[in-house]
Amino acid sequence: IYGAGRFSTKITNTSTGSAAIYTNGFDYSRIEGMYISLHEDSTRACISLDWDNTGSVALQSNSFRDIYFEGGAFGLYIGESGNMGSENLIENCYFAGHTEAGLKTTNFNALANTVIGGNFASCKKGIYVAAGSVPIIHGVSFQNSTEADIYVENSAGDMYSIDGCRNESNLNDTTFAVFHSGASAHIAGCSLLSTLSNLTFGFIEAGSSTAGPGVMTVDACFGPYSKFSGNGELYIRGNPSYTFASTASWSAFSGNL
């Protein structure tokens, strides 16, 4: 499904109770080059990528490229009915002003999704993994997420690779990367450029023995005004000498360092 460009082809749903695009089965396909928006009070998604487990077309291996998502609760919502939603690629897309999340995966089969490039601006959560996984997040920018840029609620046994990302938040009490229930991450080459002193670079929570220990490794990152919190395991390597150096950086962290 091709548009003429993200500001040339526009699809807008002005109601509050339905998605702009809703699928019941969608696989091995691509949507690109368009602007998709919802009424600002909508509780739905710009694209609801879903499947109710009926019919011959399932839900996996799709690509979304050069799309501007705006408004509503979600930009792209994957697997709401609880069936599949894996191996999707989100490339160079812009998510703006979503009241819940720009991207959300919501069932345990919505695995191995990937975000490359693009931007998440003024969303409650940028990338929200309620279940499933988005283990590759590379070259993505985030601005003014009110809760978290990346929020992982459950562990699917994946080690997250977050590389070359950039945060430019001017809001207090927000977190760049949150990992609950033993989920783990390698964060490399990322920068938090806000001068606010109460931003959290990473939250890592120790999980059960089946979920894993909850480990965050931070390499060559920059976040001099941010801190860490949680009770998992944290490894800091190869960062500029003044990054994370203040006592405040560790004041909320109670795990193994």
Side-chain angles (χ1 to χ4, degrees):
I1 302 174
Y2 296 92
R6 65 173 70 180
F7 291 110
S8 298
T9 299
K10 296 186 177 183
I11 298 174
T12 300
N13 187 347
T14 59
S15 69
T16 59
S18 59
I21 296 176
Y22 172 78
T23 75
N24 185 13
F26 195 77
D27 57 16
Y28 309 107
S29 300
R30 181 167 61 176
I31 300 178
E32 70 173 59
M34 61 182 65
Y35 180 114
I36 303 173
S37 66
L38 289 177
H39 188 278
E40 62 182 9
D41 295 330
S42 178
T43 59
R44 305 303 299 166
C46 294
I47 298 180
S48 179
L49 191 67
D50 202 16
W51 181 46
D52 67 2
N53 203 29
T54 64
S56 59
V57 178
L59 185 66
Q60 63 183 11
S61 301
N62 299 293
S63 296
F64 301 86
R65 185 177 184 274
D66 192 29
I67 299 174
Y68 194 103
F69 298 87
E70 186 175 48
F74 306 96
L76 178 61
Y77 193 166
I78 300 177
E80 185 176 7
S81 294
N83 303 290
M84 298 184 66
S86 61
E87 300 100 37
N88 296 291
L89 171 65
I90 297 95
E91 183 181 8
N92 192 34
C93 292
Y94 198 109
F95 297 81
H98 305 294
T99 58
E100 294 298 327
L103 167 65
K104 181 179 180 180
T105 62
T106 190
N107 75 76
F108 288 100
N109 289 315
L111 299 164
N113 293 288
T114 298
V115 181
I116 302 293
N119 197 84
F120 292 79
S122 300
C123 304
K124 182 179 180 180
K125 299 180 179 77
I127 297 170
Y128 177 24
V129 180
S133 69
V134 186
I136 297 176
I137 303 169
H138 288 183
V140 180
S141 293
F142 300 90
Q143 291 93 36
N144 294 333
S145 302
T146 57
E147 184 172 334
D149 295 331
I150 300 163
Y151 193 99
V152 179
E153 203 163 88
N154 289 283
S155 173
D158 294 316
M159 170 63 79
Y160 278 69
S161 173
I162 302 171
D163 198 318
C165 295
R166 179 182 180 94
N167 169 290
E168 296 179 352
S169 177
N170 290 312
L171 299 176
N172 292 318
D173 301 318
T174 189
T175 303
F176 174 59
V178 176
F179 291 88
H180 287 289
S181 303
S184 296
H186 178 231
I187 302 175
C190 295
S191 298
L192 272 66
L193 298 176
S194 171
T195 58
L196 299 174
S197 60
N198 58 342
L199 291 176
T200 301
F201 188 99
F203 172 91
I204 185 73
E205 179 183 67
S208 66
S209 58
T210 56
V215 177
M216 182 178 289
T217 302
V218 179
D219 287 334
C221 289
F222 181 69
Y225 299 97
S226 58
K227 62 187 178 182
F228 291 91
S229 63
N231 64 349
E233 295 184 15
L234 179 62
Y235 298 85
I236 305 292
R237 308 182 303 189
N239 301 285
S241 59
Y242 52 86
T243 300
F244 314 127
S246 69
T247 303
S249 297
W250 317 109
S251 59
F253 186 74
S254 60
N256 298 317
L257 178 62

